[in-house]
């Protein structure tokens, strides 16, 4: 499939309109392509091809209907011939690029003098067609110059009209070059530019592997542009047969898709295969499975191995195909060093690359290595070292004996899996602990915790020493709280904490995963075509990271400094991640208290009518019509029975309510007001 804006593959309908604008003839090409080119006289030509025959249309003068481009649809009305070309099921990114090329090339060629019929006949050139060259800087420049001229001419005309002082409407003079068939007023158009966000080489290689039809898994550390690329991939595939999914609602939301579970319709997948197949054959669900040609799965690190195997078997069965995954092309993305799958019960959840079907299905593994989120190379190296558990703290002897020894012990304890738990943690600095209120420390990664760690035992160095102990653990030792991923999710109150035994947090995950990759789970050398594909190449890329990176004081202080960055969007602050629920609750209480308004509580029963004073804290109590059920519901809900809120409070949804509207588990917002008449939160005005 073409990505250069010259061609689109899609369904095409050609309609011939009569003088009344009614369709007099219609031709449907279900699987076709439209190609932009030039004939022997350099006229713009649209060539349609359905695999057998082609037909050409001159694109001298046309009108575009582009309202549904994002849905992969568009109409080109060719004005002189009264013909309509309706494009549908186009990869939206391809369609957008095609229309941009068509418009700009058309505008750029308006300045060229058109040959008369006589001149054409006299030229006696043989018929030809050549695909147009992709958009270049000179095309853009030409059109921008035309626009500037048209704009200047427009202003001059306006001034002349005003000077005439007649107030009568005078037609704006319009030279040939400035006229745009797409919109009547070219002077209002913004200055054009070539797309600035081009894929880098690695990303382009992944896209081309995807467009070649292979099943592709691509990974990369945080900020390497996985999501950026995924959106581009989605835009390059036909919308009707492409299903975008992710393991979590939040991730699904980012790519405008649904959760993988909702696509598959087999619940948790723990039922026997026959039952799962029946579930997948329900109306509505079966249609997903049968119409899907390309399945995108984002945040695949959270997809559990058994579930992946189940999906693979169900796909073959419902699609009546013996091909892996029933012939569906899989495009899978994620970072196994980030969040692991959720364990249920005592069984340790396995990563999907450990499943039986993974090797059978995945044809290409690729890794993005260029970090696009940051530019500071030393900071990137540090993050990469932390990612694989290879950061070693470089401490001077002085700090090791200082007053922070208590802090050190404490953090060392944590790093070694000896975390004494909440009770013992109050003994942390031997009386130096600033107390629970200030406890916004180590694990509570967030933006401003270092600032709040003001107690003596909380000196930066001590903390970082502790932290260093944590980071310095080899992969094998990484069983303690340092594997923050799981604790973190516990902190979020999402019920994802698999407990200490199932601790398969990022570090641990990465280790197993990298070990597995090196141990033959790799799909083999032939398929290892991508940059950083699994196996030796991939290990080579990691080599600089395998030797521990020294975390010097300079690095430490820069890291500490970065904690003061204020990260905020639309009043919604960056979420602080905590290792323990208690810390979450204390932090939330503190923050709520810091907001203006008194603390005289006003309890609102979520199920009862009535209005309340809106100042100060508002307390919502969850009740159920069946009081006997309340206990069970409360026990299973990640949110406490009583919810205290104030205007200005930062809130996070803990349930997927409406993925399409972005109301997903993890969506954040800020309370802007309380409704006096209604109860509950039926109107979320702002959230991200
Ligand atoms: N080719 C590119 N050109 C310009 N910007 C890019 C490119 N690739 C990525 N970026 C930018 O880099 C940043 C990080 O990208 P993105 O969020 O997709 O990374 P990620 O790998 O998904 O990270 P994470 O694992 O943390 O979700 C984004 O701001 C994105 O717009």
């Amino acid at each position: 499939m073409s990505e250069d804006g010259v061609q689109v593959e899609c369904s095409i309908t050609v309609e011939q309109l009569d003088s009344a604008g009614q369709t007099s003839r219609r031709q449907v090409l279900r699987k076709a392509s439209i190609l932009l080119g030039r004939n022997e006289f350099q006229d713009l030509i649209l060539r349609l091809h359905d695999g057998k025959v082609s037909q050409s249309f001159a694109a001298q003068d046309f009108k575009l209907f582009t309202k549904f481009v994002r849905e992969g649809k568009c109409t080109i009305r060719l004005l002189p011939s009264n013909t309509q070309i309706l494009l549908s099921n186009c990869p939206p990114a391809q369609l957008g690029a095609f229309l941009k090329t068509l418009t700009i090339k058309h505008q750029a060629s308006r300045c060229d003098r058109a040959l008369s019929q006589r001149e054409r006949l006299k030229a006696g050139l043989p018929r030809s067609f050549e695909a147009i060259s992709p958009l270049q800087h000179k095309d853009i420049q030409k059109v921008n110059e035309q626009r500037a001229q048209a704009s200047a001419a427009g202003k001059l005309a306006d001034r002349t009209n005003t000077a005439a002082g007649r107030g009568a409407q005078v037609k704006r003079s319009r030279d040939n070059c400035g006229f745009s068939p797409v919109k009547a007023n070219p002077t209002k158009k913004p200055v054009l530019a070539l797309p600035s966000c081009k894929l880098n080489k690695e990303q382009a290689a992944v896209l081309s592997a995807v467009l070649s039809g292979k099943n592709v898994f691509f990974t990369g550390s945080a900020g390497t542009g996985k999501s950026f690329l995924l959106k581009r991939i989605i835009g390059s595939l036909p919308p009707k047969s492409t299903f975008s999914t992710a393991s979590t609602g939040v991730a699904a939301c980012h790519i405008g898709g649904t959760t993988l579970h909702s696509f598959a319709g087999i619940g948790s997948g723990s039922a026997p295969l026959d039952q799962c197949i029946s579930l997948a054959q329900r109306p509505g669900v079966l249609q997903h499975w049968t119409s899907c040609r390309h399945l995108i799965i984002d945040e695949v690190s959270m997809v559990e191995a058994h579930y992946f195997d189940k999906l693979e078997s169900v796909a073959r069965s419902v699609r009546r195909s013996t091909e892996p995954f029933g012939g569906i092309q899989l495009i899978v993305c994620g970072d196994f060093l980030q969040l692991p799958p959720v364990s249920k019960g005592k069984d340790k959840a396995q990563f999907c690359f450990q499943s039986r079907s993974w090797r059978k299905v995945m044809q290409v593994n690729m890794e993005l290595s260029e970090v696009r989120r940051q530019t500071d190379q030393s900071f990137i190296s540090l993050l990469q070292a932390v990612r694989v558990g290879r950061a070693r703290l470089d401490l001077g002897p002085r700090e090791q004996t200082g007053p922070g020894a208590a802090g050190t012990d404490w953090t060392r304890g944590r790093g070694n899996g000896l975390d004494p738990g909440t009770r013992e943690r109050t003994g942390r600095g031997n009386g130096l602990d600033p107390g629970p209120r200030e406890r916004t420390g180590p694990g509570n990664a967030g933006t401003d915790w270092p600032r709040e760690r003001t107690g003596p035992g909380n000196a930066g160095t001590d903390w970082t020493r502790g932290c260093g102990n944590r980071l310095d653990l080899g992969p094998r030792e990484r069983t303690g709280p340092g594997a923050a991923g799981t604790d973190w999710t516990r902190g979020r109150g999402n019920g994802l904490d698999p407990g200490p035994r199932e601790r398969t947090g990022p570090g641990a995950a990465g280790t197993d995963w990298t070990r597995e990759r090196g141990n033959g789970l790799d799909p083999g050398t032939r398929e290892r075509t991508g940059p950083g594909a699994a196996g030796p190449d991939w290990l080579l890329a990691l080599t600089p990271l395998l030797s521990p990176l020294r975390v010097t004081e300079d690095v430490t202080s820069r890291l500490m400094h970065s904690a003061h960055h204020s990260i905020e969007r639309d009043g919604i602050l960056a979420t602080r991640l905590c290792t323990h629920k208690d810390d979450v609750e204390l932090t939330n209480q503190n923050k709520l208290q810091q907001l203006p308004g008194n603390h005289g509580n006003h309890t609102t029963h979520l199920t009862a009518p009535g209005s309340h004073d809106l100042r100060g804290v508002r307390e919502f109590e969850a009740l159920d019509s069946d009081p006997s059920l309340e206990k069970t519901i409360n026990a299973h809900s990640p949110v406490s029975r009583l919810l205290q809120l104030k205007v200005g409070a930062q809130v996070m949804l803990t349930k997927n309510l409406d993925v399409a509207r972005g109301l997903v588990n993890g969506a954040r917002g800020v309370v802007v007001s309380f409704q006096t008449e209604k109860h509950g939160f039926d109107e979320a005005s702002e959230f991200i």
Side-chain angles (χ1 to χ4, degrees):
M1 281 183 232
S2 160
E3 269 296 300
D4 51 14
V6 173
Q7 184 174 4
V8 189
E9 277 161 38
C10 54
S11 302
I12 302 176
T13 303
V14 183
E15 288 180 347
Q16 187 60 53
L17 305 179
D18 60 22
S19 52
Q22 300 298 314
T23 308
S24 58
R25 195 155 48 89
R26 175 180 284 137
Q27 184 189 11
V28 180
L29 313 171
R30 292 224 179 279
K31 243 183 143 190
S33 64
I34 179 165
L35 174 68
L36 183 60
R38 290 193 191 276
N39 65 7
E40 62 279 13
F41 299 110
Q42 296 303 301
D43 300 325
L44 277 184
I45 301 290
L46 292 169
R47 174 166 281 195
L48 316 185
H49 203 283
D50 67 353
K52 290 182 200 135
V53 285
S54 62
Q55 44 188 318
S56 298
F57 298 88
Q60 252 96 322
D61 219 349
F62 56 85
K63 200 167 175 189
L64 294 180
F65 297 87
T66 55
K67 196 171 171 191
F68 299 105
V69 169
R70 282 190 182 176
E71 286 152 47
K73 293 180 193 162
C74 161
T75 299
I76 306 169
R77 184 175 294 167
L78 304 168
L79 297 175
S81 60
N82 229 5
T83 305
Q84 278 195 157
I85 302 176
L86 291 85
L87 311 180
S88 62
N89 199 25
C90 310
Q94 244 186 52
L95 180 60
F98 178 82
L99 294 177
K100 189 166 186 180
T101 308
L102 173 64
T103 311
I104 291 176
K105 293 277 184 185
H106 180 267
Q107 285 185 16
S109 60
R110 296 283 304 185
C111 269
D112 305 335
R113 193 179 71 84
L115 294 176
S116 66
Q117 279 302 332
R118 190 182 152 80
E119 284 169 320
R120 286 170 189 251
L121 282 171
K122 273 177 77 179
L125 294 175
R127 283 194 154 206
S128 72
F129 175 84
E130 205 179 309
I132 210 157
S133 59
L135 271 189
Q136 286 164 21
H137 189 65
K138 64 176 172 40
D139 299 314
I140 305 276
Q141 212 175 358
K142 201 167 171 184
V143 173
N144 279 335
E145 275 166 19
Q146 286 173 25
R147 287 183 179 188
Q149 276 172 18
S151 172
K155 276 186 195 147
L156 198 68
D158 283 351
R159 247 181 277 147
T160 319
N161 296 339
T162 321
R166 301 216 179 102
Q169 278 200 346
V170 181
K171 262 194 176 177
R172 183 169 56 82
S173 67
R174 197 164 56 183
D175 65 3
N176 253 352
C177 299
F179 175 67
S180 158
V182 184
K183 272 184 190 163
N185 190 353
T187 61
K188 294 268 159 58
K189 287 193 164 187
V191 173
L192 292 165
L194 278 174
S196 55
C197 289
K198 273 188 141 184
L199 297 182
N200 65 20
K201 266 190 176 171
E202 293 173 335
Q203 293 169 331
V206 174
L207 179 62
S208 99
V210 169
L211 296 182
S212 74
K214 291 209 168 107
N215 292 336
V216 177
F217 162 62
F218 67 95
T219 184
S221 61
T224 48
K226 297 183 295 297
S227 309
F228 178 87
L229 172 59
L230 205 58
K231 283 186 192 150
R232 202 56 175 268
I233 289 172
I234 294 167
S236 305
L237 293 169
K240 272 190 194 163
S241 54
T242 303
F243 285 77
S244 307
T245 71
S247 55
T248 65
V250 176
C253 216
H254 282 161
I255 55 170
T258 59
T259 60
L260 180 60
H261 284 76
S262 143
F263 163 84
I266 59 165
S268 67
S270 51
L273 182 58
D274 285 353
Q275 220 168 309
C276 287
I277 292 170
S278 311
L279 285 171
Q281 280 170 331
R282 285 172 299 156
V285 180
L286 183 64
Q287 189 263 340
H288 293 169
W289 283 106
T290 48
S291 58
C292 181
R293 277 287 308 125
H294 317 271
L295 178 62
I296 314 254
I297 309 177
D298 194 9
E299 295 289 0
V300 74
S301 64
M302 291 186 75
V303 175
E304 208 265 322
H306 287 123
Y307 185 70
F308 189 81
D309 277 337
K310 210 50 106 22
L311 290 182
E312 202 276 327
S313 307
V314 167
R316 274 186 287 118
S317 173
V318 295
R319 290 171 64 86
R320 298 178 204 284
S321 161
T322 51
E323 285 184 71
F325 234 95
I328 293 177
Q329 182 193 14
L330 280 197
I331 299 121
V332 174
C333 161
D335 178 9
F336 287 113
L337 287 127
Q338 293 185 25
L339 292 172
V342 180
S343 293
K344 294 206 180 69
K346 285 187 179 155
D347 293 335
K348 182 176 167 177
Q350 290 208 301
F351 289 99
C352 61
F353 68 83
Q354 296 172 304
S355 66
R356 272 180 292 111
S357 47
W358 179 268
R359 278 190 75 190
K360 210 167 60 173
V361 174
M362 286 305 157
Q363 294 169 307
V364 182
N365 294 323
M366 295 172 124
E367 186 178 24
L368 306 178
S369 61
E370 190 190 335
V371 174
R372 306 293 307 232
R373 190 172 283 141
Q374 290 94 9
T375 48
D376 178 344
Q377 276 311 317
S378 57
F379 186 60
I380 291 174
S381 306
L382 176 68
L383 292 182
Q384 300 286 24
V386 170
R387 178 172 183 252
V388 290
R390 303 303 295 164
R392 172 169 290 161
L393 191 67
D394 188 18
L395 285 173
R398 276 208 308 143
E399 288 84 1
Q400 288 183 6
T401 52
T408 316
D409 286 341
W410 172 73
T411 42
R412 186 166 19 164
R414 286 172 67 113
N416 291 336
L418 300 177
D419 183 17
T422 320
R423 267 198 316 134
E424 286 84 351
R425 264 193 293 122
T426 52
R428 170 168 72 143
N430 298 336
L432 302 177
D433 183 20
R437 289 248 187 142
E438 288 79 8
R439 182 181 292 287
T440 48
N444 301 332
T447 44
D448 53 350
W449 63 263
R451 213 171 346 148
E452 295 177 26
R453 290 177 58 86
T454 49
N458 295 330
T461 327
D462 295 331
W463 166 74
T464 43
R465 180 161 20 159
C467 202
N469 288 338
R470 196 186 319 170
L471 299 178
D472 196 21
L473 291 173
R476 296 282 195 104
E477 293 89 335
R478 186 179 279 281
T479 50
T486 40
D487 287 334
W488 170 80
T489 46
R490 177 166 38 167
R492 286 172 59 141
N494 290 336
L496 299 178
D497 182 22
R501 291 224 292 149
E502 292 83 5
R503 184 175 297 288
T504 48
T511 317
D512 289 349
W513 175 67
T514 46
R515 204 165 348 128
E516 296 288 5
R517 282 174 70 120
N519 283 345
L521 284 185
D522 177 33
T525 333
R526 276 207 306 139
E527 290 86 357
R528 241 190 289 121
T529 50
D537 293 351
W538 183 81
L539 281 175
L540 212 61
L542 265 186
T543 307
L545 305 175
L546 294 177
S547 53
L549 183 125
R550 284 170 60 226
V551 182
T552 59
E553 275 200 63
D554 175 46
V555 172
T556 308
S557 75
R558 277 169 57 207
L559 277 181
M560 300 282 280
H561 184 71
S562 74
H564 295 276
H565 294 165
S566 148
I567 305 169
E568 182 240 293
R569 181 147 51 109
D570 297 335
I572 301 167
L573 303 175
T575 304
R576 169 179 298 182
L577 309 180
C578 300
T579 55
H580 290 74
K581 264 186 182 165
D582 305 4
D583 295 338
V584 173
E585 258 133 47
L586 279 170
T587 307
N588 287 344
Q589 273 171 25
N590 279 343
K591 294 282 178 196
L592 205 61
Q593 266 171 15
Q594 284 162 20
L595 286 172
N598 61 40
H599 279 264
N601 290 356
H602 304 279
T603 305
T604 300
H605 291 166
L606 288 177
T607 52
S611 70
H612 298 265
D613 184 3
L614 300 183
R615 283 162 301 167
V617 159
R618 297 259 299 186
E619 194 169 78
F620 296 86
E621 185 179 7
L623 299 175
D624 194 84
S625 51
D626 181 353
S628 63
L629 273 179
E630 262 177 50
K631 223 174 162 185
T632 323
I633 293 171
N634 289 336
H636 287 89
S637 169
V639 181
S640 81
R641 187 177 59 88
L642 285 176
L643 183 64
Q644 290 190 324
L645 291 173
K646 268 185 186 178
V647 168
Q650 305 280 319
V651 288
M652 182 186 279
L653 206 56
T654 56
K655 198 167 170 41
N656 287 344
L657 289 184
D658 186 345
V659 177
R661 286 185 62 210
L663 292 172
V664 288
N665 184 359
R668 291 170 301 140
V670 58
V671 177
V672 289
S673 65
F674 293 106
Q675 294 183 346
T676 41
E677 277 94 43
K678 292 180 184 171
H679 292 273
F681 309 98
D682 51 358
E683 231 180 69
S685 53
E686 280 181 47
F687 56 88
I688 54 174

